[in-house]
């Protein structure tokens, strides 16, 4: 029986035993109901469920708790692609090990509680299997997370992206996410090694793809570039660079350790961020989600990937430097508050040098994801029919995809990155 049918027949098994220890003393789980939380096309690396739990507290008062359950992908192909035994463990470790370590450092450095990092949701509990000795994520593997939608957090339209002022807001949150692991690596290397580093090992996200699928994807990229208006000679230069990116990825080559090496989210696009707004559409809060691909590499990757996949600024080609400058000085401010002992390493000139060195290595990631980010929702099939070759279908994209692809290439050319 496939995963989806098993889930629909059995639900989340032993949810009571898993959830009760994380609730207030004396609270009992009575029953629960679930529905799918995300539509097809909004999440590929997992199955997301909305869970309504009936509870009885210590005073015998009935209450309902609304959670999000994150489980393995329904598609067998995506199960292989996302290498769930690695990625699920990475994400669970973010909540159980990494977040408490990051917050602890901030407190030790005298950071006020109101300024501690707040881009993570609450995780009630996580398991890979009902078998406590198993290291393999099976159909009973699940993370129970808070439902951010109940607190007013929303996911923006991935095809529209973020406007300029929200992009700057996100970059300032991202800089703190990057700054704390930088400080930990330098100031508390033993803590960094025991609490973070072992979960930041690089892996090849393409390793689960068949050779035929990879060849098809590469050929589609070349065709897309030509359709976007990139001339033949430049198309070949771009494809050669994409080939080099893929070779580095398959050989598990990480970026050199520099002051800018940190923990990456490594998948920071529209659907992996949720924002809360006030009545005037000003941001009140931001949460990052989906930490399945975390690894240790240059922070340039997160910054550039976010800006080129998820920002709707029509003048991005000319305003990119403004975003980079705002991010850098926010990073410098965060490191200063963390009492980083050698800030002389962090100059805007050295940051731009790091950008120029690393940007070529991020091109494949950006180009490959644009088809996902800009996919037409109405062309994406039901959960059970998703597969990797879906993203090779020309019916999936429209003119906005080709325009964005051309913009990315033009930026790379203008910056001398290709």
């Amino acid at each position: 029986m496939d995963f989806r049918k098993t889930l629909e027949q059995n639900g989340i098994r032993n949810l009571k035993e898993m959830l009760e220890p994380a609730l207030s003393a004396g609270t009992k789980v009575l029953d629960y109901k679930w529905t799918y939380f995300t539509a097809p096309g909004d999440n590929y690396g997992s199955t997301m469920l909305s869970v309504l739990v009936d509870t009885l507290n210590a005073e015998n008062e009935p209450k309902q708790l609304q959670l999000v359950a994150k489980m393995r992908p329904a598609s067998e192909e995506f199960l292989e692609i996302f290498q769930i035994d690695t990625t699920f463990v990475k994400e669970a470790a973010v909540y159980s090990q990494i977040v408490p370590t990051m917050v602890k450092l901030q407190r030790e450095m005298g950071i006020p509680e109101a300024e501690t990092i707040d881009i993570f949701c609450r995780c009630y509990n996580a398991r890979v299997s009902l078998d406590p000795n198993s290291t393999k994520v099976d159909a009973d593997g699940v993370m129970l997370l808070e439902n951010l939608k109940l607190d007013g957090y929303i996911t923006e339209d991935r095809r529209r992206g973020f406007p300029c002022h929200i992009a700057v807001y996100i970059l300032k949150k991202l800089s703190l996410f990057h700054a704390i692991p930088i400080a930990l690596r330098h100031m508390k290397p033993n803590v960094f090694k025991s609490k973070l580093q072992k979960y930041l090992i690089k892996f090849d996200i393409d390793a689960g793809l068949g050779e035929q699928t990879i060849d098809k994807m590469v050929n589609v990229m070349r065709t897309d570039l030509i359709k976007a208006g990139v001339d033949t000679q430049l198309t070949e230069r771009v494809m050669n660079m994409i080939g080099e990116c893929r070779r580095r990825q398959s050989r598990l080559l990480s970026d050199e350790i520099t002051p800018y090496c940190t923990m990456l989210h490594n998948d920071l696009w529209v659907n992996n961020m949720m924002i809360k707004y006030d009545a005037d559409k000003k941001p009140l809060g931001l949460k990052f989600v989906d930490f399945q691909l975390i690894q240790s590499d240059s922070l340039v990757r997160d910054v550039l990937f976010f800006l080129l996949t998820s920002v709707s600024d029509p003048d991005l080609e000319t305003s990119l430097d403004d975003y980079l400058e705002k991010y850098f000085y926010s990073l410098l401010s965060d490191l200063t508050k963390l009492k980083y002992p050698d800030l002389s390493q962090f100059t805007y000139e050295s940051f731009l040098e790091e950008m120029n060195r690393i940007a070529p290595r991020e091109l494949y990631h950006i180009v490959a994801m644009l088809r996902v980010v800009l996919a037409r929702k109405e062309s994406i099939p039901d959960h059970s029919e998703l597969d990797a070759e879906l993203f090779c279908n020309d019916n999936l994209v429209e003119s906005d995809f080709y325009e964005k692809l051309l913009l990315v290439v033009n930026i790379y050319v203008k910056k001398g990155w290709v």
Side-chain angles (χ1 to χ4, degrees):
M1 184 180 295
D2 66 31
F3 170 74
R4 194 179 183 197
K5 288 181 180 177
T6 300
L7 175 63
E8 290 173 354
Q9 287 188 8
N10 300 326
I12 305 170
R13 297 200 298 172
N14 292 21
L15 182 137
K16 173 183 172 72
E17 292 80 358
M18 183 182 184
L19 182 57
E20 280 188 352
L23 302 179
S24 301
T27 298
K28 301 295 183 183
V29 172
L30 303 178
D31 199 4
Y32 75 94
K33 297 177 182 177
W34 69 268
T35 57
Y36 285 110
F37 185 68
T38 53
D42 285 342
N43 190 287
Y44 299 98
S46 59
T47 299
M48 305 291 289
L49 310 179
S50 178
V51 186
L52 182 63
V53 184
D54 294 319
T55 69
L56 198 66
N57 67 16
E59 288 73 40
N60 285 323
E61 298 170 333
K63 293 195 174 182
Q64 286 191 322
L65 180 64
Q66 296 189 52
L67 306 176
V68 172
K70 186 167 189 174
M71 305 179 76
R72 49 152 284 184
S75 160
E76 290 296 326
E77 185 170 5
F78 280 117
L79 184 64
E80 292 295 322
I81 292 169
F82 282 92
Q83 301 165 59
I84 201 70
D85 290 329
T86 297
T87 56
F88 190 97
V89 170
K90 280 177 177 278
E91 182 158 26
V94 167
Y95 298 110
S96 66
Q97 301 292 323
I98 295 175
V99 173
T101 303
M102 294 173 77
V103 171
K104 183 179 179 183
L105 177 70
Q106 286 187 288
R107 289 173 176 162
E108 289 174 353
M109 295 301 110
I111 304 293
E113 200 69 23
E115 297 180 24
T116 56
I117 192 162
D118 61 355
I119 54 88
F120 303 98
C121 71
R122 177 183 177 185
C123 179
Y124 287 83
N125 209 342
R127 71 184 183 211
V128 299
S129 171
L130 288 178
D131 179 358
N133 298 315
S134 176
T135 59
K136 299 290 185 181
V137 180
D138 60 26
D140 292 306
V142 61
M143 278 178 264
L144 297 176
L145 308 168
E146 69 172 307
N147 190 332
L148 294 169
K149 290 184 178 180
L150 299 179
D151 197 30
Y153 285 87
I154 64 170
T155 303
E156 294 289 4
D157 185 336
R158 53 184 165 78
R159 291 188 66 184
R160 290 175 56 191
F162 297 107
C164 309
H165 69 290
I166 300 299
V168 171
Y169 176 77
I170 293 169
L171 287 172
K172 290 181 178 179
K173 295 287 189 177
L174 178 60
S175 71
L176 182 58
F177 175 80
H178 287 155
I180 299 172
I182 288 173
L184 279 166
R185 181 193 293 276
H186 187 85
M187 298 161 63
K188 293 180 175 288
N190 290 336
V191 173
F192 180 85
K193 185 176 182 179
S194 62
K195 297 294 186 180
L196 273 75
Q197 190 170 35
K198 62 183 178 180
Y199 302 112
L200 303 181
I201 303 303
K202 187 170 186 177
F203 70 104
D204 180 8
I205 191 65
D206 287 351
L209 294 173
E211 189 173 329
Q212 183 177 351
T213 300
I214 291 175
D215 289 343
K216 189 170 183 178
M217 288 172 62
V218 170
N219 288 334
V220 166
M221 285 182 191
R222 177 179 279 103
T223 301
D224 284 344
L225 288 165
I226 293 170
K227 285 183 179 180
V230 180
D231 68 55
T232 304
Q233 187 175 9
L234 180 54
T235 293
E236 290 311 308
R237 281 164 53 195
V238 171
M239 291 307 301
N240 287 339
M241 182 168 286
I242 286 173
E244 180 57 29
C245 292
R246 292 192 59 255
R247 282 188 289 274
R248 287 183 61 85
Q249 179 176 290
S250 66
R251 296 169 186 167
L252 304 182
L253 298 177
S254 294
D255 299 327
E256 297 81 353
I257 300 296
T258 73
Y260 296 101
C261 189
T262 187
M263 178 177 72
L264 301 188
H265 181 284
N266 205 31
D267 197 22
L268 203 63
W269 61 294
V270 177
N271 277 25
N272 287 339
M273 288 170 271
M274 298 183 73
I275 299 184
K276 183 178 181 179
Y277 297 96
D278 66 13
D280 297 319
K281 199 62 177 176
K282 293 181 180 178
L284 293 174
L286 169 71
K287 302 295 182 183
F288 292 170
V289 297
D290 285 357
F291 296 94
Q292 298 159 292
L293 305 182
I294 58 169
Q295 68 179 53
S296 177
D297 262 321
S298 173
L299 52 78
V300 161
R301 292 179 177 269
D302 269 352
V303 175
L304 199 58
F305 181 78
F306 163 65
L307 288 172
L308 296 189
T309 62
S310 303
V311 177
S312 61
D313 185 349
D315 300 314
L316 187 59
E317 189 171 346
T318 55
S319 61
L320 182 63
D321 286 345
D322 292 335
Y323 290 112
L324 297 179
E325 188 171 353
K326 286 181 172 66
Y327 167 84
F328 172 77
Y329 285 107
S330 180
L331 177 72
L332 192 60
S333 174
D334 292 331
L335 290 170
T336 301
K337 292 176 183 177
L338 288 165
K339 302 176 183 177
Y340 191 90
D342 187 11
L343 292 173
S344 65
Q345 301 174 83
F346 297 93
T347 65
Y348 190 55
E349 290 72 24
S350 70
F351 173 66
L352 292 181
E353 289 174 2
E354 181 81 352
M355 181 66 63
N356 291 337
R357 187 170 62 87
I358 301 300
R361 302 177 186 176
E362 188 63 14
L363 181 60
Y364 171 52
H365 189 198
I366 294 167
V367 170
M369 273 299 293
L370 283 180
R371 267 188 167 259
V372 177
V373 176
L374 297 172
R376 297 167 64 242
K377 285 190 176 183
E378 58 270 27
S379 295
I380 299 172
D382 183 79
H383 290 86
S384 60
E385 298 174 2
L386 292 172
D387 60 44
E389 291 204 12
L390 165 68
F391 302 110
C392 298
N393 187 340
D394 281 345
N395 292 329
L396 195 70
V397 292
E398 294 179 331
S399 59
D400 58 342
F401 163 70
Y402 296 105
E403 291 165 5
K404 192 62 172 282
L405 180 59
L406 182 60
L407 173 65
V408 168
V409 173
N410 286 342
I411 287 173
Y412 264 71
V413 170
K414 181 177 179 181
K415 291 291 186 182
W417 296 335
V418 64

